[in-house]
Amino acid sequence: MKATPGVPAGEGSRAAARSGGDAPLPGAPIPEADLDDFTPEQLAAQWEEEKPPSAGPLANAGSSLVVLGLGIAALVLSVVMGLGTPAAPQPGLWPFLISCVMVALGLFQLVMGRHNRDAEKFTRMSMAPLTGLVTLALMVALMPMIGFELPALALCIVWMRFLGSETWRSTLVVSAAVVGAFYGLFVLALNTSIPHLF
């Protein structure tokens, strides 16, 4: 007669359910049904195991310098566009203010990031923000040529489906609703000069 190995208290049903050869590998995602059986401490330990390794001070400094460089470049471009005054703003005023915030945050992170232990090392998932930035830049570049409707629709679909992993149904419904709302607000209601196709 084979003895059954002991399991920790509260783990019996889960261990028994997984003993039939379908036990997940270490680090593998846990089914949603099993997550309900976890205590907050077990969930915290699971998330700690699954998170990417810490980035370290060099990576923190590098990312801070990227933000700082982008902020300075945007600062220069906004000044070239013209600032104007608060009463009569030129096109570069709001980009100038946002660029100042970027520069300040980049400097703050550069100084204080050495003590930050929450930053994560770059992984494959780190490409998602870059993809979002590139698609946003493409939308801005295409808007003067073909209007905002089609580029905005494509942007919503890419962000929701491929970056957000939403279902095709919710992606298409929400994307169409967002573009329709923007069209109704900026073209029909406010009659702004935003480039539009229809």
Side-chain angles (χ1 to χ4, degrees):
M1 179 174 172
K2 185 185 284 188
T4 303
V7 294
E11 300 280 331
S13 61
R14 200 163 63 247
R18 293 175 179 171
S19 62
D22 58 351
L25 298 172
I30 299 172
E32 190 68 32
D34 290 343
L35 287 177
D36 295 337
D37 300 332
F38 275 61
T39 65
E41 292 79 13
Q42 290 171 322
L43 280 175
Q46 179 71 23
W47 292 332
E48 189 68 24
E49 278 182 19
E50 292 176 353
K51 77 174 188 179
S54 179
L58 188 60
N60 283 334
S63 58
S64 303
L65 289 173
V66 169
V67 173
L68 188 59
L70 288 173
I72 292 172
L75 201 65
V76 172
L77 289 174
S78 61
V79 170
V80 170
M81 291 171 65
L83 302 180
T85 64
Q90 294 293 317
L93 181 60
W94 283 112
F96 176 80
L97 296 176
I98 295 171
S99 303
C100 288
V101 173
M102 284 183 65
V103 170
L105 289 176
L107 287 172
F108 177 80
Q109 180 64 20
L110 187 62
V111 174
M112 302 302 294
R114 303 175 290 162
H115 312 295
N116 183 9
R117 303 194 180 276
D118 293 332
E120 298 173 352
K121 187 176 288 187
F122 285 105
T123 62
R124 188 178 61 179
M125 292 303 295
S126 305
M127 294 300 293
L130 181 60
T131 304
L133 181 63
V134 169
T135 52
L136 183 62
L138 283 173
M139 186 196 82
V140 172
L142 289 173
M143 276 177 53
M145 294 183 281
I146 60 173
F148 83 93
E149 297 96 337
L150 296 179
L153 183 64
L155 180 76
C156 288
I157 290 173
V158 169
W159 282 17
M160 290 189 65
R161 176 60 185 166
F162 301 106
L163 300 182
S165 300
E166 297 290 340
T167 63
W168 274 111
R169 181 178 177 181
S170 63
T171 295
L172 296 175
V173 169
V174 172
S175 299
V178 166
V179 174
F182 269 79
Y183 187 88
L185 178 63
F186 291 106
V187 177
L188 300 180
L190 299 177
N191 197 25
T192 61
S193 59
I194 184 172
H196 56 90
L197 184 62
F198 305 106

